[in-house]
Amino acid sequence: MALKVSGPDSDLLEYRQVDDWAYLRAGVKPLEEAVGSQLPAPEDLPPDATDLKQVLGGGWVKMPADSLTKNTPGQESSPSAIPSAQARQKKVLNGLQRLINREVQLKDTGTEGGAEHITATAPFRTLLTGLFDELRPLAADFPQGANLPTSKGLKDVPDKKITADFAIKNGTLNEISVDLAPLADTAKGDKSTLVLRIGKGDQATTPPGPPRSTWTH
């Protein structure tokens, strides 16, 4: 698999997984501009922070693909103590289905540009809180240190209704667009649309040149 997050001018973050290895690199300058603060320079880090130096230098870091989800010492649990991953996933899917049936209003809005359009409308904070609540059974599968927000942590999120538009072309989901303007204090009629286009991706390949560092976590 391959995942890339890009800004208007360059890549912010790129992740690849090929066979048993994962590769990660960051666009430091674009990330600094995106978050509005300066990251440490590699030369300012301790000598033993080789992996972090590699990332902040814009290079690739190589790590075993399972190192992001493997439990650290002291976290082991007996197989009988926790449900299987398959059972947890089934529970989450059932919970998400109930959440959508309860909170989301679906509407067929017709055909445009050769694609069928269906909209889904829901109160943002209610849906987000419910989503994280339903995902909690999968927390055991998350990387170490990854915590899901609680309802208390989401209390300041606007609970205004937002609408996602799903474009389906030739029986396949082609595009998802969400107008985020209702979540901001903008003038009536303003739009701020987030668009996700879905298409055939490139084959994930090992980055050119061997990474100079291997993640040791």
Side-chain angles (χ1 to χ4, degrees):
M1 65 165 288
L3 172 69
K4 183 187 292 186
V5 181
S6 300
D9 304 314
S10 57
D11 299 335
L12 284 79
L13 187 70
E14 186 170 2
Y15 172 86
R16 299 185 194 180
Q17 182 175 325
V18 181
D19 298 325
D20 296 329
W21 292 97
Y23 305 85
L24 176 71
R25 73 170 174 177
V28 178
K29 292 300 180 185
L31 276 176
E32 288 178 337
E33 294 174 3
V35 302
S37 62
Q38 190 171 357
L39 298 172
E43 58 269 20
D44 295 334
L45 297 174
D48 58 347
T50 53
D51 296 320
L52 190 54
K53 286 184 178 183
Q54 178 77 351
V55 173
L56 294 178
W60 288 95
V61 172
K62 178 182 178 182
M63 68 199 86
D66 63 357
S67 66
L68 297 178
T69 55
K70 189 179 293 183
N71 285 340
T72 54
Q75 287 187 306
E76 293 82 358
S77 300
S78 63
S80 60
I82 57 175
S84 68
Q86 187 175 7
R88 292 196 298 271
Q89 290 171 17
K90 184 177 180 179
K91 181 178 180 180
V92 167
L93 289 175
N94 290 339
L96 291 176
Q97 185 175 13
R98 290 193 298 270
L99 175 67
I100 291 172
N101 291 340
R102 185 175 68 246
E103 302 293 348
V104 179
Q105 297 176 333
L106 299 176
K107 182 180 179 181
D108 186 341
T109 58
T111 303
E112 182 181 343
E116 301 174 55
H117 286 262
I118 296 174
T119 61
T121 303
F124 186 64
R125 185 177 66 228
T126 302
L127 188 62
L128 200 61
T129 302
L131 174 64
F132 285 123
D133 286 344
E134 297 298 344
L135 287 175
R136 290 191 203 287
L138 292 182
D141 301 324
F142 292 168
Q144 172 66 13
N147 296 315
L148 292 174
T150 63
S151 56
K152 183 178 180 181
L154 295 169
K155 64 182 178 62
D156 294 329
V157 173
D159 206 25
K160 299 177 183 178
K161 288 189 175 183
I162 61 168
T163 297
D165 182 278
F166 297 84
I168 302 169
K169 206 167 188 176
N170 299 323
T172 302
L173 183 61
N174 189 57
E175 182 178 291
I176 305 171
S177 59
V178 183
D179 182 15
L180 301 177
L183 302 180
D185 295 327
T186 56
K188 190 175 181 179
D190 285 357
K191 294 192 73 174
S192 177
T193 305
L194 173 68
V195 178
L196 171 64
R197 293 185 177 90
I198 302 168
K200 185 177 180 180
D202 297 326
Q203 178 69 30
T205 58
T206 301
R212 292 172 295 169
S213 174
T214 300
W215 192 277
T216 54
H217 174 65

